[in-house]
Amino acid sequence: MTTPVPSGTPLPKPTPPADSLPTNSPPTTVTGPTTVPGPTAATGPTAATAAPAAPGRRLAAELVGTALLAVVVVGSGHQADALTSDAGLRFLANVGASAAALTVLITLFGPVSGGHLNPLITAGAWWTGRGTPAGLPLREAVGYAAAQTVGAVAGTGLADAMFGHPAFRLSAVPRGSGALWLGEAVATGTLLLVVTGATAAGRGRLVPGLVGVWVVAACWATSSGGFANPAVTLGRALTDSWTGIAPGSVPGFVLAQCAGAAAGLGLAALLFHGRERARSGVRREPSDNS
C-alpha cells in the first residue's frame, strides 16, 4: 500500500546508476597514482572504489602485475612450443592465455594501482587528466612506467627459467617492417580508445573484459601480433623464443605503439566529448583523514 503524495509536492529524483555518474563527481576513484591533498587511493580502469593505497603499494602492484603478464606471454609460448609443432595452434594458445591473464590481472590489481600494466595506459591516464584535481601527476606516471618495465623484464626471465631456458638471452626474431609498425599502431591505438572510451561512457567496470577481448582480436587481426605494450615488448627482447623480438626491432615497435596511442587518445577525445569525460578511468577518492 502506498501513501498518496499531496498535490504540488515534487517527486524525488531517481538515483542514476553508478556507471552513469560523471567522472568528475566527488568522491571519486583512481586508475593510477595521482596527487591530491592528503592520502589517496588508486583504482583501475574498472573504476571500482577501494581503500587508499600507499604509493609503494601501487608501484609494487604495477611491477608484480606486469611481471605476471610477461610470465604468461612468454611462458605460454614455451608451453605451446613443447606441446605442438603447429604454428597456428601455438599462436592460438599463446593469445588465449595472454588475453585471459590481462582480464584477471586488471581486475585484481585495479583496486590497488589501477591495473595499468602498460606504460601507454599510464601515459593516457596522465594526459587525459592533466591540469585537473583528479589528474595523474607526471612524476607518478614515470614511476609507474619504470615499475612496469622492471616487472616485464623480471617476468620474462622467470618464464624462461621455469621452462629450463637460459634467462635473459637476446631474441633473434626480427620484426622490423613498415607493415608490422602499422599493425602495432592500430593495435595500440584501439587499445587506448577502448580503455578511454569505455570509461568516458560510464562503462569502466567492463574494461578488463573489453581489453581481454580486444587483445584476442588484435593479435589475430594485425600483422604485428598486437604487442601493444612497450614494457612487455622490451621484456620480450630478452627471450630467445618465438614469442620474442630482436632488440634491433624494439625501437620501431615502441615508436609505432606511441604513435598509435596518441591517435587513440585523440579519437577518444573527439568521440567522447573531450578530455573532461575521456579520463581513462583516472579518478581519485580522498581518504577519511585527508
Side-chain angles (χ1 to χ4, degrees):
M1 178 175 178
T2 58
T3 304
V5 179
S7 177
T9 302
L11 294 175
K13 295 182 179 179
T15 302
D19 277 354
S20 67
L21 294 175
T23 58
N24 58 356
S25 297
T28 53
T29 45
V30 167
T31 55
T34 63
T35 299
V36 256
T40 52
T43 70
T46 56
T49 303
R57 182 181 296 176
R58 298 198 294 264
L59 293 176
E62 287 297 305
L63 190 153
V64 172
T66 312
L68 292 174
L69 175 60
V71 165
V72 173
V73 171
V74 177
S76 63
H78 286 315
Q79 185 74 281
D81 197 32
L83 294 175
T84 180
S85 59
D86 187 303
L89 287 178
R90 289 188 303 176
F91 189 65
L92 179 64
N94 183 241
V95 170
S98 301
L102 265 174
T103 302
V104 170
L105 294 172
I106 294 172
T107 303
L108 177 64
F109 291 108
V112 181
S113 68
H116 294 180
L117 315 182
N118 185 331
L120 292 178
I121 298 296
T122 298
W126 165 73
W127 177 260
T128 55
R130 69 196 189 287
T132 67
L136 176 66
L138 180 60
R139 181 179 63 181
E140 295 195 50
V142 171
Y144 259 37
Q148 291 155 359
T149 302
V150 171
V153 171
T156 300
L158 177 59
D160 281 340
M162 284 196 304
F163 286 90
H165 293 265
F168 306 127
R169 178 178 291 182
L170 297 180
S171 173
V173 181
R175 300 180 189 266
S177 73
L180 297 183
W181 298 337
L182 179 59
E184 272 302 282
V186 170
T188 311
T190 308
L191 174 64
L192 269 291
L193 177 61
V194 166
V195 173
T196 308
T199 305
R203 295 295 181 264
R205 289 184 177 86
L206 301 179
V207 167
L210 293 175
V211 169
V213 172
W214 172 246
V215 165
V216 174
C219 287
W220 280 101
T222 63
S223 57
S224 65
F227 284 41
N229 186 325
V232 176
T233 299
L234 179 61
R236 291 170 71 165
L238 302 176
T239 178
D240 189 18
S241 67
W242 66 271
T243 59
I245 176 173
S249 299
V250 170
F253 258 52
V254 172
L255 287 175
Q257 291 162 355
C258 291
L265 288 173
L267 281 173
L270 175 66
L271 298 173
F272 297 96
H273 310 298
R275 128 177 123 86
E276 283 302 313
R277 290 195 61 198
R279 304 178 65 84
S280 296
V282 180
R283 292 155 53 174
R284 167 89 35 200
E285 180 175 9
S287 66
D288 292 338
N289 59 353
S290 60

